[in-house]
Amino acid sequence: PLADGRRQKMAEHESLEFGKADFVLLDNVSMEEFMANLKLRFEKGRIYTYIGEVVVSVNPYRAMNIYGRDTVEQYKGRELYERPPHLFAIADAAYKAMKRRNKDTCIVISGESGAGKTEASKYIMQYIAAITNPNQRAEVERVKNMLLKSNCVLEAFGNAKTNRNDNSSRFGKYMDINFDFKGDPIGGHISNYLLEKVKMHFICFFFLFFLYLLTQLLRGAPDSLLRSLHIQKDPAAYNYIKVGGHIKVGLINPLRHKHLAKYASVADAMKVIGFTGDEIQTVYKILAAILHLGNLTFGVDGDVTLIENTKLVSVLRELLSTKEENVEKALLYRTVATGRDVIEKQHTEQEASYGRDALAKAMYERLFCWIVGRINDIIEVKNYDARVHGKNTVIGVLDIYGFEIFQNNSFEQFCINYCNEKLQQLFIQLVLKQEQEEYQREGIPWKHIDYFNNQIIVDLVEQQHKGIFSVLDEACMNVGKVTDEVFLQGLNGKLAKHAHYTSRKLSPTDKNLEFDRDFRIRHYAGDVVYSVVGFIDKNKDTLFQDFKRLLYNSSNTVLKAMWPEGKLSITEVTKRPLTAATLFKNSMISLVENLACKEPYYVRCIKPNDVKSPLLFEIERCRHQVEYLGLLENVRVRRAGFAYRQTYPRFLQRYKMISEFTWPNHDLPSDREAVKKLMQGCGFDHDAAYGKTKVFIRTPRTLFSLEEQRAEMVQRIVLFLQKVWRGTIARMRYRRMRAALVILQAYRRYKVKSYIREVNRRFKNVRSMKDYGRHVKWPTPPKVLRNFLFVCLDVFPSRWWAWTLIKGLSPEETLQVRAKVACLEALKGQRADLGLQRAWEGNYLVSRGKRDSPDTAASFTLVSSELQRKDKFMRVLFSSNVRKINRFHKAEDRAVLITDRHLYKMDPLKQYKPMKSIPLYNVTGLSVSPGKDQLVVFHTKDSRDLVVCLQGMVPANESRIGELVGTLLALAEVKMLKCLFICCC
């Protein structure tokens, strides 16, 4: 039994007034207590109950507010025992098993028709879609949306409203949802098992066709579409919708807005999935063509069969995009190949009607299979490489027709019930038989529990040469007229001694069976009487090859693709096609093999009553379902068995981090001993058993405790790994940065050295060049040497080049160069002629006087020598004859002598007698005019400025203003005197 801890957990969520949330918690395992608990929970609005990890679901026949987003969040990531029983819990368990253990899982939803299987599959799909993709990635959202929308389309084309069920699945659907390594859906695949093979006048097939498609089409489609399809809104106008001349009113909802909504939702879903406009239009054309086929009637004129309403042939020609004569010929004639000869055999009226109905059935079946294939083409996983993207895991969801027992059970019910036998056998093998066999194989003490193994019934149906399907196929292959009675005789001959088969011939006193018509099979769900009427026709491929060629030759490419075998010529059709029974058997075997390789989770659906009441719970009706679903045996096995088992290596791989003896690797003799040591260290040794290859844990509480300890240790390990990895990343980043810095520094040094070498190469021989390298272009420097370039440009060519030019000059020439430079800096751009091109003589009264007037020069020399002795000046800077202008604008001839200490004004008429002496430190500025005149104003501190005009120039246009200004400025720089104010005005 489960541990008290889990009992307490359950009690926290649901009190005892709602009954036991898990049937394993029953005090006494009996059918009475099981049914009482199931009934109590149904009446209290608790429609889900656990049997361990199996969910038992009772159809509430009403909408319940337990599937919203808040409910999804309550079950997301939780263990089964942590919340009340729910479909979301089993869906989350399957998702976690897939994501955590990288295992393919499947959810098998079983139960009879009307028990709520289809709704359960929809809620499971919605939950899986809701809990994935937290980052809202566009591609994952697209896949999820298409998977959900495919449900809408498949229901519209494959479900029916019957007297037992408003949304009965007339096809089986198995959907694989593919997930990437992150647990996000990346695609899917749908397998369908369409069953309806009934004649049209029995109308069972067209319940789905009418209610989910034609009603939407007739009442919901726009008028323009209806006109293009040549159909009208009145359902009474079409024979396939009528039974016995009247419409099944109870199966039709006349509300137009509801049909509009259904039509719009299906059309929108097809667009979202990816159906093109032409494909959707072809679907409507096929549906309309089937409607019109039902209205085709045949008559007889003598020995000739005719079509009475020929206008419909033209409509069919337009809808099927083929030729009118070909349509008429295919409906009235059958082409037969006898050896090399080809003959056309005319149909009788009955054969033509039969062929018409067979064509309608086949068109719809091909349409449905094409839709499934088209959806698969769109949603399947594309361009997925496991080596790049990780392992692709799968969750399968099976929603298939439930067990059916009608008043008249035919070939369809036989196939449906065989399918349920196969699924029940899988359930027995996985949950009951394998459970007990595994305990015996592992050497675990075990008390055997009896259960009904329905393998004997499965063999009764599918066994080679002896099974019912084999007998049916043999009867269909017999030469001559084959009847259903011949098939029944074959069953009686081969199965007379089988304990689960009987007929009226084998049990003459059983008046519930009719002679030459009925046989009974004792299924796991109870006894079912089948009528053999129609078995032969429904098992054979009854569609004439002429119809296949007709539709293959259509100009509509979509319709043509549905009939590939139509390309064969008449003489090429020699191989007998597989029968419906063989095809269905092969698909069921493949389905069971697919499910058997996955970890299964079960939802067992129960129908509480046959009147669809939300309040009525029929005890006997539900007891029967509990019995044939094997729920009580499941409870007994769960009570006696172990909740969890795993191989020792896999168990250690998952939980070794919670024990110091096993982390990171153990040194014990075997994995079995290591697991024992781990369990003992955690205090769970009393709740575990150790088999030959696996460890068995009895209660979920132990497993959950292990998971909690593992989660805690994983967090610590992750933090440790993050620390180590972050340190590694930091060191790697540091090494990269350091290497980059070394490279950068080396590169900078290389660039600097390269630049210096290039500068050295270019300016290596500048001393020997005529212009000392002024024509040499400086190379572009790297960024780091831009300031260096500015310094170099300041040094060369300005200073070094100037120094190179003047270093060979005499001291007198050097002084003259300095004066010229000072003059240029002060007056450049102010006067046109500064006299820079000629040599500056300075003492013009002496130099020019010796050449022009020796007596005058001698007098001046005598006076200047006396002044030098008296004032102690070192040298004469400038002397010249001038014309003085006083404040009364009176001009007089005078001479100016400028030494390195004084400025003298002399009278040339009196042998250059000094008239005025001005110390140079009293001279504050010098003003000259910008014109060609030689006017100079000496500014003094006492404001007694001296205004003179230089004269006696030889030649006459010689300018001495620049020489005067430059000489004084050079003197000021040499003696560090206060800078003279030079003004040009």
Side-chain angles (χ1 to χ4, degrees), residues 90-91 93-108 128 174-181 183 186-187 381 384 390-397 430 593-601 650:
I90 204 75
Y95 179 77
K96 283 187 299 188
M98 179 273 300
K99 191 173 180 180
R100 287 179 180 175
R101 301 198 294 274
N102 204 26
K103 295 185 65 175
D104 292 343
T105 61
C106 65
I107 301 174
V108 180
I128 293 175
Y174 174 75
M175 175 178 285
D176 271 334
I177 308 173
N178 298 84
F179 296 83
D180 60 14
F181 72 98
I186 56 175
V381 180
Y384 194 92
K391 185 178 181 296
N392 181 337
T393 49
V394 167
I395 292 181
V397 180
L430 296 180
E593 289 176 352
N594 189 7
L595 295 176
C597 67
K598 296 177 172 61
E599 181 174 321
Y601 292 83
R650 291 292 299 272

Tab-separated table of all heavy atoms in Angstrom, residues 90-91 93-108 128 174-181 183 186-187 381 384 390-397 430 593-601 650:
chain	number	residue	atom	x	y	z
A	90	ILE	N	-1.473	13.655	-15.715
A	90	ILE	CA	-0.919	12.549	-16.502
A	90	ILE	C	-0.171	13.094	-17.708
A	90	ILE	O	0.859	12.554	-18.127
A	90	ILE	CB	-2.042	11.570	-16.924
A	90	ILE	CG1	-1.454	10.185	-17.198
A	90	ILE	CG2	-2.813	12.067	-18.115
A	90	ILE	CD1	-1.085	9.429	-15.982
A	91	ALA	N	-0.669	14.199	-18.303
A	91	ALA	CA	0.033	14.815	-19.434
A	91	ALA	C	1.379	15.373	-18.981
A	91	ALA	O	2.390	15.231	-19.685
A	91	ALA	CB	-0.832	15.921	-20.040
A	93	ALA	N	3.133	14.299	-16.406
A	93	ALA	CA	4.003	13.165	-16.086
A	93	ALA	C	4.642	12.614	-17.359
A	93	ALA	O	5.842	12.305	-17.380
A	93	ALA	CB	3.207	12.078	-15.371
A	94	ALA	N	3.863	12.489	-18.428
A	94	ALA	CA	4.407	11.996	-19.694
A	94	ALA	C	5.436	12.972	-20.254
A	94	ALA	O	6.482	12.557	-20.781
A	94	ALA	CB	3.275	11.777	-20.703
A	95	TYR	N	5.153	14.254	-20.137
A	95	TYR	CA	6.081	15.266	-20.651
A	95	TYR	C	7.389	15.261	-19.854
A	95	TYR	O	8.480	15.345	-20.425
A	95	TYR	CB	5.423	16.639	-20.599
A	95	TYR	CG	6.306	17.762	-21.095
A	95	TYR	CD1	6.517	17.960	-22.452
A	95	TYR	CD2	6.923	18.626	-20.197
A	95	TYR	CE1	7.326	18.986	-22.915
A	95	TYR	CE2	7.733	19.659	-20.647
A	95	TYR	CZ	7.925	19.829	-22.008
A	95	TYR	OH	8.724	20.840	-22.450
A	96	LYS	N	7.295	15.148	-18.523
A	96	LYS	CA	8.502	15.140	-17.700
A	96	LYS	C	9.332	13.895	-17.955
A	96	LYS	O	10.565	13.954	-18.011
A	96	LYS	CB	8.124	15.231	-16.220
A	96	LYS	CG	7.714	16.626	-15.774
A	96	LYS	CD	7.522	16.689	-14.279
A	96	LYS	CE	6.422	15.752	-13.827
A	96	LYS	NZ	6.074	15.933	-12.409
A	97	ALA	N	8.670	12.743	-18.108
A	97	ALA	CA	9.405	11.514	-18.389
A	97	ALA	C	10.149	11.628	-19.714
A	97	ALA	O	11.292	11.184	-19.853
A	97	ALA	CB	8.450	10.328	-18.420
A	98	MET	N	9.486	12.246	-20.689
A	98	MET	CA	10.120	12.449	-21.984
A	98	MET	C	11.313	13.396	-21.876
A	98	MET	O	12.385	13.145	-22.445
A	98	MET	CB	9.082	12.986	-22.972
A	98	MET	CG	9.574	13.272	-24.379
A	98	MET	SD	10.279	14.918	-24.598
A	98	MET	CE	8.902	15.956	-24.181
A	99	LYS	N	11.148	14.474	-21.127
A	99	LYS	CA	12.183	15.510	-21.056
A	99	LYS	C	13.318	15.116	-20.114
A	99	LYS	O	14.491	15.335	-20.429
A	99	LYS	CB	11.542	16.821	-20.603
A	99	LYS	CG	12.450	18.034	-20.730
A	99	LYS	CD	11.700	19.315	-20.435
A	99	LYS	CE	12.615	20.528	-20.568
A	99	LYS	NZ	11.904	21.783	-20.285
A	100	ARG	N	12.973	14.535	-18.961
A	100	ARG	CA	14.008	14.224	-17.970
A	100	ARG	C	14.837	13.006	-18.374
A	100	ARG	O	16.058	13.027	-18.311
A	100	ARG	CB	13.362	13.955	-16.606
A	100	ARG	CG	12.841	15.179	-15.898
A	100	ARG	CD	12.208	14.760	-14.577
A	100	ARG	NE	11.686	15.906	-13.831
A	100	ARG	CZ	11.008	15.792	-12.689
A	100	ARG	NH1	10.782	14.591	-12.175
A	100	ARG	NH2	10.562	16.867	-12.067
A	101	ARG	N	14.139	11.942	-18.777
A	101	ARG	CA	14.829	10.675	-19.042
A	101	ARG	C	15.065	10.433	-20.521
A	101	ARG	O	15.516	9.362	-20.908
A	101	ARG	CB	14.027	9.526	-18.434
A	101	ARG	CG	13.817	9.662	-16.936
A	101	ARG	CD	13.422	8.349	-16.316
A	101	ARG	NE	12.134	7.854	-16.738
A	101	ARG	CZ	10.981	8.193	-16.173
A	101	ARG	NH1	10.976	9.049	-15.164
A	101	ARG	NH2	9.840	7.690	-16.603
A	102	ASN	N	14.696	11.414	-21.342
A	102	ASN	CA	14.959	11.305	-22.782
A	102	ASN	C	14.308	10.055	-23.368
A	102	ASN	O	14.880	9.355	-24.198
A	102	ASN	CB	16.464	11.292	-23.046
A	102	ASN	CG	16.789	11.755	-24.452
A	102	ASN	OD1	16.044	12.507	-25.057
A	102	ASN	ND2	17.900	11.276	-24.984
A	103	LYS	N	13.075	9.759	-22.907
A	103	LYS	CA	12.365	8.563	-23.344
A	103	LYS	C	11.119	8.959	-24.131
A	103	LYS	O	10.446	9.946	-23.810
A	103	LYS	CB	11.951	7.715	-22.140
A	103	LYS	CG	13.108	7.132	-21.356
A	103	LYS	CD	12.610	6.213	-20.248
A	103	LYS	CE	11.915	4.998	-20.802
A	103	LYS	NZ	11.522	4.045	-19.744
A	104	ASP	N	10.820	8.154	-25.146
A	104	ASP	CA	9.558	8.337	-25.861
A	104	ASP	C	8.420	7.849	-24.978
A	104	ASP	O	8.511	6.793	-24.342
A	104	ASP	CB	9.559	7.540	-27.169
A	104	ASP	CG	10.547	8.106	-28.176
A	104	ASP	OD1	10.962	9.263	-27.981
A	104	ASP	OD2	10.891	7.395	-29.130
A	105	THR	N	7.362	8.619	-24.918
A	105	THR	CA	6.201	8.255	-24.105
A	105	THR	C	4.950	8.288	-24.964
A	105	THR	O	4.941	8.830	-26.068
A	105	THR	CB	6.024	9.213	-22.905
A	105	THR	OG1	5.823	10.548	-23.404
A	105	THR	CG2	7.247	9.205	-22.006
A	106	CYS	N	3.882	7.714	-24.454
A	106	CYS	CA	2.595	7.780	-25.149
A	106	CYS	C	1.475	7.796	-24.120
A	106	CYS	O	1.627	7.283	-23.007
A	106	CYS	CB	2.420	6.615	-26.127
A	106	CYS	SG	2.329	4.993	-25.344
A	107	ILE	N	0.378	8.411	-24.499
A	107	ILE	CA	-0.807	8.465	-23.651
A	107	ILE	C	-1.917	7.736	-24.395
A	107	ILE	O	-2.358	8.180	-25.467
A	107	ILE	CB	-1.217	9.914	-23.348
A	107	ILE	CG1	-0.070	10.652	-22.651
A	107	ILE	CG2	-2.466	9.952	-22.484
A	107	ILE	CD1	-0.322	12.135	-22.447
A	108	VAL	N	-2.347	6.600	-23.847
A	108	VAL	CA	-3.371	5.772	-24.480
A	108	VAL	C	-4.708	6.095	-23.827
A	108	VAL	O	-4.884	5.901	-22.617
A	108	VAL	CB	-3.042	4.270	-24.336
A	108	VAL	CG1	-4.128	3.422	-24.998
A	108	VAL	CG2	-1.686	3.973	-24.949
A	128	ILE	N	-0.107	20.309	-23.221
A	128	ILE	CA	1.272	20.201	-23.706
A	128	ILE	C	1.662	21.468	-24.448
A	128	ILE	O	2.787	21.973	-24.330
A	128	ILE	CB	1.422	18.954	-24.601
A	128	ILE	CG1	1.251	17.687	-23.753
A	128	ILE	CG2	2.777	18.950	-25.307
A	128	ILE	CD1	1.255	16.408	-24.555
A	174	TYR	N	-3.860	8.558	-34.150
A	174	TYR	CA	-2.681	8.489	-33.296
A	174	TYR	C	-1.733	9.592	-33.735
A	174	TYR	O	-1.324	9.640	-34.894
A	174	TYR	CB	-1.988	7.135	-33.396
A	174	TYR	CG	-0.690	7.087	-32.636
A	174	TYR	CD1	-0.695	6.995	-31.244
A	174	TYR	CD2	0.523	7.166	-33.283
A	174	TYR	CE1	0.488	6.974	-30.527
A	174	TYR	CE2	1.718	7.155	-32.582
A	174	TYR	CZ	1.691	7.065	-31.200
A	174	TYR	OH	2.860	7.056	-30.489
A	175	MET	N	-1.418	10.497	-32.816
A	175	MET	CA	-0.560	11.632	-33.146
A	175	MET	C	0.736	11.554	-32.360
A	175	MET	O	0.722	11.454	-31.131
A	175	MET	CB	-1.270	12.957	-32.843
A	175	MET	CG	-0.378	14.184	-33.063
A	175	MET	SD	-1.212	15.750	-32.757
A	175	MET	CE	-2.211	15.862	-34.231
A	176	ASP	N	1.842	11.567	-33.086
A	176	ASP	CA	3.166	11.699	-32.475
A	176	ASP	C	3.554	13.171	-32.479
A	176	ASP	O	3.527	13.818	-33.529
A	176	ASP	CB	4.206	10.902	-33.267
A	176	ASP	CG	4.321	9.466	-32.784
A	176	ASP	OD1	4.016	9.227	-31.604
A	176	ASP	OD2	4.708	8.600	-33.582
A	177	ILE	N	3.916	13.692	-31.317
A	177	ILE	CA	4.411	15.062	-31.209
A	177	ILE	C	5.917	14.979	-30.968
A	177	ILE	O	6.362	14.406	-29.972
A	177	ILE	CB	3.731	15.829	-30.066
A	177	ILE	CG1	2.211	15.719	-30.178
A	177	ILE	CG2	4.146	17.291	-30.082
A	177	ILE	CD1	1.478	16.296	-28.996
A	178	ASN	N	6.701	15.525	-31.885
A	178	ASN	CA	8.156	15.487	-31.776
A	178	ASN	C	8.662	16.700	-30.997
A	178	ASN	O	8.203	17.823	-31.216
A	178	ASN	CB	8.796	15.472	-33.163
A	178	ASN	CG	8.401	14.238	-33.956
A	178	ASN	OD1	7.357	14.223	-34.581
A	178	ASN	ND2	9.212	13.227	-33.928
A	179	PHE	N	9.617	16.445	-30.101
A	179	PHE	CA	10.204	17.508	-29.281
A	179	PHE	C	11.713	17.526	-29.484
A	179	PHE	O	12.340	16.479	-29.699
A	179	PHE	CB	9.911	17.283	-27.792
A	179	PHE	CG	8.452	17.351	-27.441
A	179	PHE	CD1	7.625	16.251	-27.618
A	179	PHE	CD2	7.897	18.509	-26.943
A	179	PHE	CE1	6.280	16.311	-27.299
A	179	PHE	CE2	6.552	18.586	-26.620
A	179	PHE	CZ	5.744	17.477	-26.799
A	180	ASP	N	12.290	18.725	-29.406
A	180	ASP	CA	13.740	18.816	-29.473
A	180	ASP	C	14.324	18.574	-28.078
A	180	ASP	O	13.598	18.278	-27.119
A	180	ASP	CB	14.192	20.163	-30.041
A	180	ASP	CG	13.731	21.345	-29.200
A	180	ASP	OD1	13.291	21.122	-28.040
A	180	ASP	OD2	13.799	22.484	-29.676
A	181	PHE	N	15.645	18.702	-27.943
A	181	PHE	CA	16.300	18.380	-26.670
A	181	PHE	C	15.901	19.348	-25.558
A	181	PHE	O	16.061	19.037	-24.381
A	181	PHE	CB	17.826	18.380	-26.843
A	181	PHE	CG	18.418	19.754	-27.015
A	181	PHE	CD1	18.977	20.418	-25.941
A	181	PHE	CD2	18.401	20.390	-28.247
A	181	PHE	CE1	19.520	21.674	-26.091
A	181	PHE	CE2	18.949	21.645	-28.408
A	181	PHE	CZ	19.504	22.291	-27.334
A	183	GLY	N	12.789	20.269	-25.103
A	183	GLY	CA	11.409	19.975	-24.736
A	183	GLY	C	10.393	20.826	-25.455
A	183	GLY	O	9.242	20.902	-25.033
A	186	ILE	N	8.583	20.443	-32.204
A	186	ILE	CA	9.168	20.851	-33.485
A	186	ILE	C	8.429	20.229	-34.660
A	186	ILE	O	8.775	20.499	-35.810
A	186	ILE	CB	10.652	20.448	-33.544
A	186	ILE	CG1	10.820	18.949	-33.296
A	186	ILE	CG2	11.477	21.253	-32.573
A	186	ILE	CD1	12.241	18.450	-33.458
A	187	GLY	N	7.413	19.433	-34.400
A	187	GLY	CA	6.663	18.831	-35.502
A	187	GLY	C	5.823	17.688	-34.990
A	187	GLY	O	5.670	17.468	-33.784
A	381	VAL	N	8.661	16.862	-38.945
A	381	VAL	CA	9.949	17.476	-38.626
A	381	VAL	C	10.806	17.505	-39.890
A	381	VAL	O	10.978	16.491	-40.570
A	381	VAL	CB	10.675	16.684	-37.524
A	381	VAL	CG1	12.005	17.333	-37.192
A	381	VAL	CG2	9.793	16.612	-36.285
A	384	TYR	N	16.065	18.041	-39.557
A	384	TYR	CA	16.484	17.832	-38.166
A	384	TYR	C	17.612	16.807	-38.147
A	384	TYR	O	17.440	15.673	-38.584
A	384	TYR	CB	15.309	17.341	-37.322
A	384	TYR	CG	15.564	17.420	-35.832
A	384	TYR	CD1	15.198	18.545	-35.115
A	384	TYR	CD2	16.188	16.380	-35.146
A	384	TYR	CE1	15.440	18.642	-33.758
A	384	TYR	CE2	16.432	16.458	-33.792
A	384	TYR	CZ	16.054	17.594	-33.106
A	384	TYR	OH	16.289	17.685	-31.749
A	390	GLY	N	20.522	17.432	-31.258
A	390	GLY	CA	20.199	16.580	-30.116
A	390	GLY	C	19.131	15.571	-30.477
A	390	GLY	O	18.521	15.607	-31.552
A	391	LYS	N	18.881	14.625	-29.548
A	391	LYS	CA	17.931	13.546	-29.818
A	391	LYS	C	16.510	14.092	-29.926
A	391	LYS	O	16.093	14.946	-29.168
A	391	LYS	CB	18.006	12.497	-28.710
A	391	LYS	CG	17.129	11.268	-28.984
A	391	LYS	CD	17.271	10.240	-27.878
A	391	LYS	CE	16.423	9.013	-28.161
A	391	LYS	NZ	15.005	9.280	-28.179
A	392	ASN	N	15.798	13.531	-30.872
A	392	ASN	CA	14.398	13.892	-31.100
A	392	ASN	C	13.530	12.929	-30.294
A	392	ASN	O	13.575	11.716	-30.501
A	392	ASN	CB	14.114	13.775	-32.604
A	392	ASN	CG	12.694	14.155	-32.948
A	392	ASN	OD1	11.808	14.101	-32.110
A	392	ASN	ND2	12.468	14.503	-34.186
A	393	THR	N	12.763	13.437	-29.327
A	393	THR	CA	11.890	12.587	-28.513
A	393	THR	C	10.435	12.811	-28.893
A	393	THR	O	10.088	13.798	-29.534
A	393	THR	CB	12.086	12.875	-27.016
A	393	THR	OG1	12.020	14.289	-26.798
A	393	THR	CG2	13.438	12.372	-26.551
A	394	VAL	N	9.585	11.869	-28.464
A	394	VAL	CA	8.209	11.831	-28.952
A	394	VAL	C	7.257	11.618	-27.789
A	394	VAL	O	7.549	10.863	-26.860
A	394	VAL	CB	8.038	10.694	-29.992
A	394	VAL	CG1	6.576	10.430	-30.285
A	394	VAL	CG2	8.763	11.045	-31.280
A	395	ILE	N	6.110	12.306	-27.843
A	395	ILE	CA	4.954	11.966	-27.015
A	395	ILE	C	3.826	11.588	-27.964
A	395	ILE	O	3.458	12.381	-28.843
A	395	ILE	CB	4.510	13.130	-26.115
A	395	ILE	CG1	5.553	13.420	-25.040
A	395	ILE	CG2	3.174	12.807	-25.442
A	395	ILE	CD1	5.176	14.549	-24.102
A	396	GLY	N	3.321	10.377	-27.828
A	396	GLY	CA	2.214	9.926	-28.660
A	396	GLY	C	0.899	10.053	-27.917
A	396	GLY	O	0.824	9.801	-26.715
A	397	VAL	N	-0.147	10.451	-28.635
A	397	VAL	CA	-1.492	10.548	-28.061
A	397	VAL	C	-2.418	9.724	-28.941
A	397	VAL	O	-2.574	10.010	-30.134
A	397	VAL	CB	-1.984	12.006	-27.983
A	397	VAL	CG1	-3.384	12.057	-27.383
A	397	VAL	CG2	-1.029	12.850	-27.150
A	430	LEU	N	1.563	-4.666	-20.616
A	430	LEU	CA	2.436	-3.647	-20.033
A	430	LEU	C	2.180	-3.442	-18.544
A	430	LEU	O	3.104	-3.197	-17.774
A	430	LEU	CB	2.265	-2.325	-20.777
A	430	LEU	CG	2.686	-2.330	-22.247
A	430	LEU	CD1	2.464	-0.960	-22.850
A	430	LEU	CD2	4.143	-2.723	-22.385
A	593	GLU	N	2.683	-2.122	-31.979
A	593	GLU	CA	4.153	-2.173	-31.916
A	593	GLU	C	4.726	-0.796	-31.620
A	593	GLU	O	5.710	-0.666	-30.877
A	593	GLU	CB	4.700	-2.708	-33.239
A	593	GLU	CG	4.433	-4.194	-33.458
A	593	GLU	CD	4.909	-4.655	-34.835
A	593	GLU	OE1	5.287	-3.771	-35.649
A	593	GLU	OE2	4.911	-5.868	-35.088
A	594	ASN	N	4.124	0.232	-32.201
A	594	ASN	CA	4.579	1.610	-31.953
A	594	ASN	C	4.370	1.997	-30.491
A	594	ASN	O	5.246	2.601	-29.854
A	594	ASN	CB	3.824	2.566	-32.880
A	594	ASN	CG	4.391	3.966	-32.850
A	594	ASN	OD1	5.424	4.222	-32.252
A	594	ASN	ND2	3.708	4.882	-33.495
A	595	LEU	N	3.202	1.633	-29.951
A	595	LEU	CA	2.918	1.971	-28.558
A	595	LEU	C	3.792	1.169	-27.600
A	595	LEU	O	4.198	1.676	-26.544
A	595	LEU	CB	1.437	1.707	-28.249
A	595	LEU	CG	0.408	2.569	-28.998
A	595	LEU	CD1	-0.994	2.123	-28.652
A	595	LEU	CD2	0.591	4.039	-28.668
A	596	ALA	N	4.094	-0.072	-27.957
A	596	ALA	CA	4.837	-0.944	-27.045
A	596	ALA	C	6.271	-0.471	-26.836
A	596	ALA	O	6.877	-0.784	-25.800
A	596	ALA	CB	4.835	-2.379	-27.584
A	597	CYS	N	6.832	0.274	-27.785
A	597	CYS	CA	8.215	0.733	-27.634
A	597	CYS	C	8.295	2.059	-26.887
A	597	CYS	O	9.375	2.639	-26.791
A	597	CYS	CB	8.880	0.851	-29.011
A	597	CYS	SG	8.198	2.156	-30.053
A	598	LYS	N	7.177	2.556	-26.374
A	598	LYS	CA	7.163	3.807	-25.624
A	598	LYS	C	6.735	3.544	-24.183
A	598	LYS	O	6.133	2.511	-23.877
A	598	LYS	CB	6.203	4.819	-26.273
A	598	LYS	CG	6.611	5.260	-27.672
A	598	LYS	CD	5.577	6.195	-28.260
A	598	LYS	CE	6.057	6.799	-29.575
A	598	LYS	NZ	6.318	5.782	-30.598
A	599	GLU	N	7.046	4.491	-23.315
A	599	GLU	CA	6.585	4.377	-21.932
A	599	GLU	C	5.131	4.834	-21.872
A	599	GLU	O	4.829	5.989	-22.166
A	599	GLU	CB	7.447	5.246	-21.015
A	599	GLU	CG	7.050	5.155	-19.558
A	599	GLU	CD	8.004	5.906	-18.644
A	599	GLU	OE1	9.220	5.868	-18.893
A	599	GLU	OE2	7.524	6.529	-17.679
A	600	PRO	N	4.203	3.926	-21.502
A	600	PRO	CA	2.778	4.263	-21.647
A	600	PRO	C	2.195	4.948	-20.402
A	600	PRO	O	2.586	4.665	-19.269
A	600	PRO	CB	2.130	2.884	-21.859
A	600	PRO	CG	2.993	1.956	-21.074
A	600	PRO	CD	4.399	2.520	-21.114
A	601	TYR	N	1.259	5.814	-20.659
A	601	TYR	CA	0.411	6.410	-19.620
A	601	TYR	C	-1.034	6.236	-20.099
A	601	TYR	O	-1.313	6.381	-21.292
A	601	TYR	CB	0.748	7.886	-19.414
A	601	TYR	CG	2.108	8.112	-18.814
A	601	TYR	CD1	3.246	8.123	-19.620
A	601	TYR	CD2	2.274	8.287	-17.450
A	601	TYR	CE1	4.513	8.301	-19.078
A	601	TYR	CE2	3.538	8.472	-16.892
A	601	TYR	CZ	4.645	8.481	-17.712
A	601	TYR	OH	5.902	8.652	-17.164
A	650	ARG	N	21.305	2.858	-14.435
A	650	ARG	CA	20.498	4.056	-14.666
A	650	ARG	C	20.105	4.727	-13.352
A	650	ARG	O	20.061	5.958	-13.257
A	650	ARG	CB	19.231	3.699	-15.459
A	650	ARG	CG	19.470	3.287	-16.891
A	650	ARG	CD	19.957	4.446	-17.729
A	650	ARG	NE	19.005	5.521	-17.777
A	650	ARG	CZ	18.021	5.617	-18.661
A	650	ARG	NH1	17.875	4.682	-19.593
A	650	ARG	NH2	17.172	6.635	-18.650
